Amino acid sequence: MASDPRYEIVVSDDRELEGPLLVGLSNFGLAGLTAVDHLTTQLEFEQVGHVRARNVPSVAPFEDGTPRHPMRLYAAPDRDHCVLLGEIVVPVWAGPALADAVENLAASSELEEVTLLHGVPFPHGPDEHALFFVATPEYRDRRLEGTDLGPLRGGVLDGVPGEFTSRSLAGELPPTGTVVTPIHPPGPDFEAAIRYLAFLREEYGLEVEDERLRERSESMNRYYGELADRMEAIEAGGAEERHLPIDRMFM
């Protein structure tokens, strides 16, 4: 019989954590993960813990031969903002276990709210590259009043966002909001990550620049544009070849 999934947030620092918890996990488009990773790097957030996982698939990211925990907890130098960053997908069926871990963290700290940056590949028009929210009433009052964000009209949240939101409604987690934006797979959607950075600047006062991500976005757009051109050329060449005599010399 399979064991239940378990997550535990191991805090390696005795100083108290406070303020909002910003969550960016690995999902389609990697927009939220890209945004919080850029934030923690540029503003020199300190790693103050990691997530210990049991009975769920895991990975060991590494750089220059040095491994790191796939899910990590960071805090701003002044400790008034925290970030939970995940380089591994949390399966839908493991969402309650991660919510347990965040609930325990919130109970032992002074976290005031939870914000999930969650990109979704839903159908949208060219003028709908924007941010939308699904948020508990308390979160809307304290964080979204007077902003340009609109509500996501209808549907369901499952997995981690759905579990966090349900627990916040029940009073088991601080006020919680999921900030949703349409994303474009494959690969990291840098444009969506840039929209999240603008949200963090405007609503949280975090002075994080996005120039490097814009450069990467332009590079990726060029790559896919050139790839599309090559594919069109190959298809056009194939159409021409269909009208040529068949040479059976090498058949």
Side-chain angles (χ1 to χ4, degrees), residues 217-228:
S217 177
E218 292 170 1
S219 176
M220 179 164 285
N221 288 338
R222 286 195 300 271
Y223 169 78
Y224 282 114
E226 293 169 358
L227 182 62

Side-chain angles (χ1 to χ4, degrees), residues 121-140:
F122 60 84
H124 60 281
D127 58 345
E128 294 179 312
H129 291 128
L131 301 179
F132 304 90
F133 68 81
V134 179
T136 59
E138 294 85 352
Y139 185 96
R140 293 177 69 162

Side-chain angles (χ1 to χ4, degrees), residues 2-249:
S3 300
D4 292 334
R6 290 187 292 116
Y7 292 96
E8 178 188 1
I9 300 178
V10 180
V11 180
S12 55
D13 196 304
D14 293 335
R15 288 177 290 175
E16 191 164 56
L17 304 176
E18 59 184 355
L21 175 66
L22 309 173
V23 182
L25 302 178
S26 182
N27 66 340
F28 290 112
L30 303 175
L33 171 59
T34 300
V36 297
D37 179 65
H38 186 76
L39 170 70
T40 57
T41 300
Q42 190 174 93
L43 298 190
E44 298 183 345
F45 275 48
E46 305 165 357
Q47 184 177 341
V48 296
H50 67 276
V51 178
R52 181 184 294 148
R54 294 288 185 272
N55 306 320
V56 289
S58 190
V59 298
F62 64 89
E63 187 171 359
D64 294 330
T66 302
R68 59 182 179 269
H69 295 287
M71 298 184 69
R72 304 180 297 280
L73 181 67
Y74 292 86
D78 55 9
R79 295 302 168 116
D80 59 358
H81 293 82
C82 297
V83 166
L84 180 61
L85 179 157
E87 295 184 86
I88 185 171
V89 174
V90 178
V92 170
W93 48 267
L98 183 61
D100 286 343
V102 173
E103 186 177 328
N104 291 336
L105 177 67
S108 62
S109 64
E110 296 297 324
L111 296 178
E112 300 171 356
E113 65 185 42
V114 179
T115 298
L116 292 90
L117 306 180
H118 186 65
V120 179
F122 60 84
H124 60 281
D127 58 345
E128 294 179 312
H129 291 128
L131 301 179
F132 304 90
F133 68 81
V134 179
T136 59
E138 294 85 352
Y139 185 96
R140 293 177 69 162
D141 291 343
R142 67 180 295 150
R143 184 58 60 186
L144 300 177
E145 189 71 29
T147 70
D148 294 332
L149 271 69
L152 203 59
R153 290 301 178 186
V156 297
L157 291 174
D158 62 2
V160 173
E163 191 68 30
F164 281 21
T165 302
S166 296
R167 295 200 187 199
S168 181
L169 285 171
E172 298 165 356
L173 278 179
T176 296
T178 299
V179 183
V180 176
T181 195
I183 57 92
H184 296 248
D189 190 333
F190 293 112
E191 289 296 325
I194 289 168
R195 292 195 289 273
Y196 280 138
L197 292 180
F199 170 76
L200 296 177
R201 283 195 301 270
E202 294 166 9
E203 307 309 325
Y204 287 101
L206 294 166
E207 296 299 325
V208 56
E209 299 296 332
D210 57 20
E211 182 177 352
R212 186 170 66 87
L213 288 189
R214 290 187 182 278
E215 292 173 352
R216 295 178 69 183
S217 177
E218 292 170 1
S219 176
M220 179 164 285
N221 288 338
R222 286 195 300 271
Y223 169 78
Y224 282 114
E226 293 169 358
L227 182 62
D229 291 342
R230 289 198 297 272
M231 293 300 295
E232 289 180 4
I234 292 171
E235 291 175 359
E240 293 175 0
E241 290 172 2
R242 284 194 293 271
H243 295 87
L244 295 176
I246 297 177
D247 184 351
R248 302 181 183 273
M249 180 179 297

